[in-house]
């Protein structure tokens, strides 16, 4: 990193940003979002608002709830929305139809998936491996699932997970992209290692869905859970999704067998009989307003190729790292996100002294990322609405702030 | 019930309805809702839309999500909304502040409450009593909770629950109002019997919250769960609420310990440490759009006395039964809802041949109730927006349909 930037360097970076923006095949997608002059690099926490959501939600409230009321469960398709919205997510994570259902929080879905994974693995296995650097809720919920099913939890670094899975392992719970460092885990390798050990891997896709091709079917994943309010822009607290691979659906034994996953819910029979298909992942009545806002938000993906999203994501994070290296005084920031593409998600995390104060100053100056204790600045790059000029501006404000 | 109605009887019923409407202290509340010329008697399934919701939700979407984005978790009070909305519900169910939290579906909350109840009861007790006529999801979820905690489920009629609780009983799960018959269970008596047996009663308030005074604190209830989209008019699939009595909060040991109930969520520590207070009932990120629509919907309760709501509810159901008796040909309908006020919720259920076809015909003619297999017509009376002239019209259409 250089102590000072020459005018020539500055102009060269401007030229580079302009050229990258001009060549960006996804540039026009930005028009599908409500944005302002903020450089919003926190889409890995809450995605920006797609323009079509407000109108659609007003229609849901005024027409479907206000006018049709109870009839909307049938006539407006509310009842089947969890599966229908799942089908919109499926191609974004490499899943054929019929395997994704939307509803409940990520935490609740992690619980379903981990308990079900231990049941799929069968008896005689006493441990659940949990990503040692996991987003905390996964760890808390996995510990509860293990307590209830008679397993113990063993924390293992994602990079050592494949080697750690063995004859005692019932389930593995792994974050596809580490929320703090932005490191991308080896989903194909860990999934294969889990299978080789007779165990079931559960993938948390919160920081990868919508940011990169996941390839759930291609890599033989059994169970996955993901968030829809980050790179999928579904709105604050939008319901999570649950992927149940077709081949395990008949054996998916949910710890939360609510009436919405009954094979004949309106028979209201006293005994539970699980529905076939991904519906089996449902529990209770879905929060329709949040769910249908998500459905509208997913329309921004029409015609979008996730491979192009990934290419742009890597170009954005590469360019940000390049700008930071060129502009930020030496020693002030240390990248913690891997430089290697194959190990990088769609965010850049930088270790920084006084990171909390630095992020507050950045936000004050119109560059919004976030801060993760104790010392990490986190910048998420949503390829659908982030441009290369945004990246350069963010790096300049950052350099100026930490100087 | 009479075969024919004289003109004198018809005029007398009109006069009675007019007098009852004129004397109704809650009549003006109807103006707070979006209604049309339908007689909507399905508020026990989905409450009507309060007029203020659409505007508030547009503001949440466009301003809080669209403009402030991630800052709204703090600046717009999203993070604390589950407790804040809980405080709005608290007075409606007889709870002092600090004991109710909103989020997740009823089914998920039943799971939390039943598992937690077995843990509160302690070891050495091997059964969970479940209301034999329960809304099915409660039974399915209780069976799952029992399976995970090493208990067995024993179905017991609500009326026999108090006598059935004994030394083997860890927990009881009871519907306060039976969803099918409209029968009101003896909450004080069953709660006291549970305590006397050393067990913990979990109350499902789905069909009583917002319809009658529940008296959670007064009757020493430990755990309760309720729905917000029926008599609380919170919108389709609006999040449920969970009541944790203050005295048991420190011992509430959730099977779903998500990061939202951690004592310091943003420390993101690997070990779970439960927050004090009702917050302990939270799990993952709340579905904010549905939650804040509910918050707005609850504003219709400002200045409303639940005792008056109960008085009107009983007057409405009494009048409906009276009109049905006067207008419907003998033998066509059999009330299954108890005549005794102390045993009646806010609905009237009538057994009827061809009930499915009859309800379809009623809906076609602008009287909306619902049908529960195999033979029950269900009419819910929401005192906030249902008038006595509505009741008479519904009874007339019903009489005409079944004649």
């Amino acid at each position: 990193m250089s102590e000072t930037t020459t005018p020539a360097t500055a102009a060269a970076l401007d030229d580079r940003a302009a050229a990258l923006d001009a060549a960006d095949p996804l540039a026009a997608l930005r028009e599908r979002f409500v944005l302002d002059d903020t450089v919003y690099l926190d889409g890995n926490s809450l995605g920006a608002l797609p323009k079509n959501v407000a109108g659609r939600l007003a229609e849901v409230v005024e027409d479907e709830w206000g006018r049709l009321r109870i009839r909307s469960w049938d006539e407006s398709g509310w009842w089947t929305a969890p599966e229908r919205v799942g089908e919109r997510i499926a191609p974004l994570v490499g899943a054929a139809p019929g395997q994704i259902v939307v509803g409940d929080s990520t935490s609740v879905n992690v619980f379903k998936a981990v308990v079900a994974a231990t049941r799929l693995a069968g008896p005689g296995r006493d441990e659940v491996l949990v990503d040692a650097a996991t987003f905390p809720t996964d760890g808390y919920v996995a510990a509860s699932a293990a307590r209830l099913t008679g397993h113990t939890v063993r924390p293992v670094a994602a990079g050592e997970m494949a080697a750690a899975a063995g004859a005692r392992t019932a389930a593995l719970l792994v974050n596809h992209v580490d929320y703090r460092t932005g490191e991308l885990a080896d989903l194909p390798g860990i999934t294969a290692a889990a299978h080789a050990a007779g165990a079931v891997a559960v993938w948390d896709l919160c920081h990868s869905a919508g940011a990169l091709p996941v390839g759930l079917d291609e890599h033989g994943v059994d169970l996955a859970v993901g968030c829809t309010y980050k790179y999928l822009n579904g709105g604050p607290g939008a319901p999570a999704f649950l992927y149940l691979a077709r081949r395990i659906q008949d054996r998916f034994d949910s710890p939360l067998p609510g009436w919405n996953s009954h094979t004949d819910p309106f028979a209201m029979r006293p005994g539970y009989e699980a529905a076939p298909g991904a519906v089996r992942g449902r529990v209770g009545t879905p929060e329709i307003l949040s769910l249908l806002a998500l459905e509208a938000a997913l329309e921004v993906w029409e015609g979008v190729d996730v491979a192009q999203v990934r290419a742009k994501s890597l170009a954005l994070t590469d360019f940000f790292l390049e700008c930071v290296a060129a502009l930020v005084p030496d020693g002030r920031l240390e990248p913690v996100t891997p430089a290697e593409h194959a190990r990088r998600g769609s965010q850049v995390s930088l270790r920084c002294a006084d990171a909390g104060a630095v992020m507050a100053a950045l936000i004050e100056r119109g560059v919004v990322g976030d801060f993760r204790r104790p010392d990490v600045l986190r910048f998420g790059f949503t390829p659908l609405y982030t441009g290369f000029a945004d990246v350069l501006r963010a790096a300049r404000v950052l350099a100026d702030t930490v100087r």
Side-chain angles (χ1 to χ4, degrees), chain A:
Chain A
M1 298 190 190
S2 63
E3 189 65 43
T4 56
T5 309
T6 64
T9 307
L13 288 173
D14 282 315
D15 291 348
R16 292 255 297 125
L20 286 163
D21 277 326
D24 175 11
L26 304 181
L29 297 173
R30 183 184 178 95
E31 287 307 310
R32 300 184 186 181
F33 292 88
V34 176
L35 293 165
D36 50 27
D37 61 357
T38 301
V39 178
Y40 190 65
L41 301 179
D42 211 7
N44 55 333
S45 190
L46 175 65
L49 170 64
K51 283 182 181 166
N52 66 321
V53 169
R56 171 64 185 136
L57 200 57
E59 180 183 52
V60 171
V61 171
E62 293 168 28
D63 195 58
E64 299 185 3
W65 175 13
R67 188 176 65 82
L68 292 174
R69 289 183 287 259
I70 195 69
R71 293 164 51 190
S72 278
W73 281 107
D74 178 35
E75 294 176 31
S76 304
W78 288 354
W79 185 265
T80 52
E83 297 85 69
R84 190 176 68 240
V85 181
E87 298 304 10
R88 278 203 173 263
I89 294 170
L92 305 178
V93 291
Q99 302 177 100
I100 294 187
V101 70
V102 176
D104 304 312
S105 66
T106 300
S107 299
V108 168
N109 280 293
V110 167
F111 183 77
K112 297 175 202 170
V114 172
V115 171
T118 65
R119 291 171 174 174
L120 282 170
R125 294 168 179 270
D126 68 352
E127 71 178 12
V128 173
L129 308 186
V130 177
D131 189 342
T134 187
F135 184 78
T137 210
D138 299 53
Y140 307 156
V141 168
S144 174
R147 171 184 174 193
L148 285 163
T149 56
H151 295 78
T152 55
V153 163
R154 181 155 65 99
V156 175
E160 294 158 20
M161 200 60 101
R168 292 180 52 184
T169 311
L172 301 78
L173 175 61
V174 202
N175 293 192
H176 194 198
V177 173
D178 185 291
Y179 78 101
R180 196 189 304 258
T181 66
E183 178 162 0
L184 177 65
D186 175 17
L187 182 143
I190 295 172
T191 302
H195 284 161
V200 177
V202 175
W203 286 94
D204 178 334
L205 310 178
C206 285
H207 288 270
S208 61
L212 51 94
V214 178
L216 289 174
D217 288 351
E218 178 187 352
H219 302 303
V221 170
D222 297 303
L223 293 163
V225 171
C227 170
T228 65
Y229 51 78
K230 300 179 189 293
Y231 296 105
L232 295 176
N233 314 298
F241 66 88
L242 175 65
Y243 166 86
L244 306 180
R246 190 175 299 281
R247 71 187 166 285
I248 62 98
Q249 288 175 351
D250 285 350
R251 291 176 293 133
F252 179 77
D253 183 3
S254 176
L256 293 170
W259 73 300
N260 274 228
S261 62
H262 194 282
T263 190
D264 187 1
F266 289 93
M268 306 212 165
R269 289 198 286 266
Y272 180 71
E273 298 154 73
V279 174
R280 193 174 283 213
R282 289 175 64 167
V283 186
T285 305
E287 299 188 32
I288 290 295
L289 302 182
S290 287
L291 180 58
L292 299 188
L294 166 62
E295 181 174 37
L298 290 168
E299 289 179 17
V300 301
W301 291 91
E302 273 168 21
V304 175
D305 175 354
V306 180
Q308 282 191 331
V309 169
R310 174 61 168 165
K312 181 174 174 185
S313 160
L314 289 170
L316 287 165
T317 52
D318 276 345
F319 188 55
F320 184 66
L321 287 165
E322 176 187 337
C323 293
V324 166
L327 301 171
V328 173
D330 280 344
R332 291 290 287 126
L333 296 173
E334 177 202 348
V336 293
T337 303
E340 191 186 337
H341 282 180
R343 293 176 54 221
R344 190 195 304 166
S346 196
Q347 78 183 53
V348 171
S349 297
L350 302 169
R351 194 161 284 130
C352 173
D354 297 322
V358 168
M359 184 51 71
L362 291 178
I363 291 170
E364 187 68 30
R365 297 178 64 181
V367 174
V368 178
D370 61 22
F371 159 59
R372 285 293 174 258
R373 298 186 213 166
D375 59 358
V376 169
L377 301 174
R378 218 172 57 142
F379 301 94
F381 296 84
T382 301
L384 301 191
Y385 55 75
T386 305
F388 295 89
D390 296 328
V391 169
L392 176 54
R393 188 175 138 211
R396 283 194 169 126
V397 172
L398 175 61
D400 202 49
T401 302
V402 300
R403 188 167 288 129

